[in-house]
């Protein structure tokens, strides 16, 4: 449970109200999925005007605590989804893709799905992939996908490989599956982790539409290179994960 620091006398009224509502959410008074009282109800209860209520709720929305559904109401967001990656250099060397460890099997709508296979034309991301793989952009093939969890899109993924053309069936939009093993089979290679890094960006228009989030939403970025057993770079991946609903947990010891 988050503990809010005490408000100073100079704290705006709307922010004090936001903290009061946050405390109720933390205490379970408004559980995940619950609808908050309406603006008039909150206004009457706390003795503030509706503009103050609206500002307080907007503050909670910016903090990814609530979701405002226009014309319906304001609802408490569920807790962050844990996307766990067990890290052990002795046993996690091979690149099996993130889907098996990140997604449960019970939801039929969950998994990784192909979105597109755009041409590699020299965008900033294409140029970075070419640099990481030691190839010219024209030598690369690219596949984009989305990972769904809990019935919602959670991650936008882009893969670049230094070979092609890729099988038409692998590129079919809507195709389900784990793309890393599929790309390895298409290349006839075995993939191992070379490196992985974590960062953050604001969602651009394309990722915002794909993930169903407002532009500028904080996205976690997990990127890296996988190589063949002899060390030749064979895949560059860049995943953008909705930072308001997911996080990576790295386990460095057996549990």
């Amino acid at each position: 449970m988050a503990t809010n620091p005490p408000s100073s006398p100079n704290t705006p009224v709307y922010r004090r109200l936001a903290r009061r509502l946050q405390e109720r959410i933390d205490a379970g008074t408004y559980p995940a999925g619950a609808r908050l009282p309406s603006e008039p109800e909150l206004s009457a209860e706390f003795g503030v005007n509706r503009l103050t209520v609206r500002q307080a709720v907007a503050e909670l929305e910016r903090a990814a605590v609530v979701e405002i559904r226009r014309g319906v109401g304001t609802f408490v967001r569920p807790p962050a989804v844990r996307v766990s990656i067990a890290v052990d250099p002795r046993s996690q060397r091979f690149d099996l893709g993130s889907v098996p460890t990140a997604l449960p099997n019970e939801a039929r709508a969950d998994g990784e799905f192909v979105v597109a296979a755009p041409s590699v034309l020299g965008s900033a991301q294409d140029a970075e992939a070419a640099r990481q793989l030691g190839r010219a952009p024209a030598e690369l093939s690219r596949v984009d996908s989305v990972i769904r969890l809990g019935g919602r899109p959670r991650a936008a993924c882009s893969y670049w490989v230094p070979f092609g053309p890729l099988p038409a069936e692998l590129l079919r939009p809507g195709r389900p599956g784990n793309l890393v093993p599929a790309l390895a089979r298409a290349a006839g290679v075995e993939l191992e982790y070379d490196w992985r890094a974590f960062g953050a960006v604001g969602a651009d228009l394309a990722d915002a539409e794909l993930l169903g989030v407002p532009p500028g939403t904080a996205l976690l970025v997990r990127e890296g290179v996988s190589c063949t057993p002899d060390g030749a770079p064979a895949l560059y991946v860049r995943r953008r994960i909705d930072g308001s609903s997911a996080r990576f947990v790295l386990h460095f010891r057996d549990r």
Side-chain angles (χ1 to χ4, degrees), residues 212-238:
V213 299
T217 295
L219 303 181
L220 302 175
V221 178
R222 176 179 178 248
E223 62 179 330
V225 168
S226 294
C227 60
T228 60
D230 62 2
L235 179 144
Y236 174 69
V237 58
R238 187 172 183 270

Side-chain angles (χ1 to χ4, degrees), residues 74-240:
T74 301
F75 297 82
V76 179
R77 282 180 173 269
V81 177
R82 282 186 187 271
V83 182
S84 296
I85 302 175
V87 176
D88 181 346
R90 298 164 300 177
S91 62
Q92 297 294 322
R93 181 179 180 187
F94 296 102
D95 188 349
L96 302 177
S98 293
V99 176
T101 57
L103 301 175
N105 295 320
E106 60 269 15
R108 191 171 300 175
D110 289 348
E112 184 172 19
F113 302 89
V114 172
V115 173
S119 300
V120 180
L121 300 175
S123 68
Q125 292 182 11
D126 291 340
E128 177 62 15
R131 187 180 75 83
Q132 294 293 345
L133 295 174
R135 301 294 186 95
E139 298 179 84
L140 305 183
S141 299
R142 174 176 172 176
V143 186
D144 291 346
S145 70
V146 63
I147 292 178
R148 300 183 66 86
L149 174 62
R152 292 179 52 192
R154 304 288 184 174
C157 311
S158 298
Y159 304 89
W160 290 262
V161 291
F163 62 88
L166 296 174
E169 173 57 25
L170 189 151
L171 304 179
R172 176 174 53 82
R175 172 194 177 277
N178 189 345
L179 270 177
V180 170
L183 289 168
R185 287 193 297 270
V189 299
E190 187 177 72
L191 293 177
E192 300 180 355
Y193 288 121
D194 185 1
W195 61 268
R196 290 294 186 270
F198 295 85
V201 296
D204 61 20
L205 293 178
D207 283 346
E209 181 177 357
L210 194 60
L211 296 174
V213 299
T217 295
L219 303 181
L220 302 175
V221 178
R222 176 179 178 248
E223 62 179 330
V225 168
S226 294
C227 60
T228 60
D230 62 2
L235 179 144
Y236 174 69
V237 58
R238 187 172 183 270
R239 303 186 192 276
R240 290 87 67 202

Side-chain angles (χ1 to χ4, degrees), residues 17 38-39 42-43 48-58:
L17 176 56
S38 65
E39 282 185 8
L42 290 173
S43 179
V48 297
N49 61 46
R50 291 179 63 173
L51 176 59
T52 298
V53 172
R54 199 168 301 134
Q55 290 175 311
V57 171

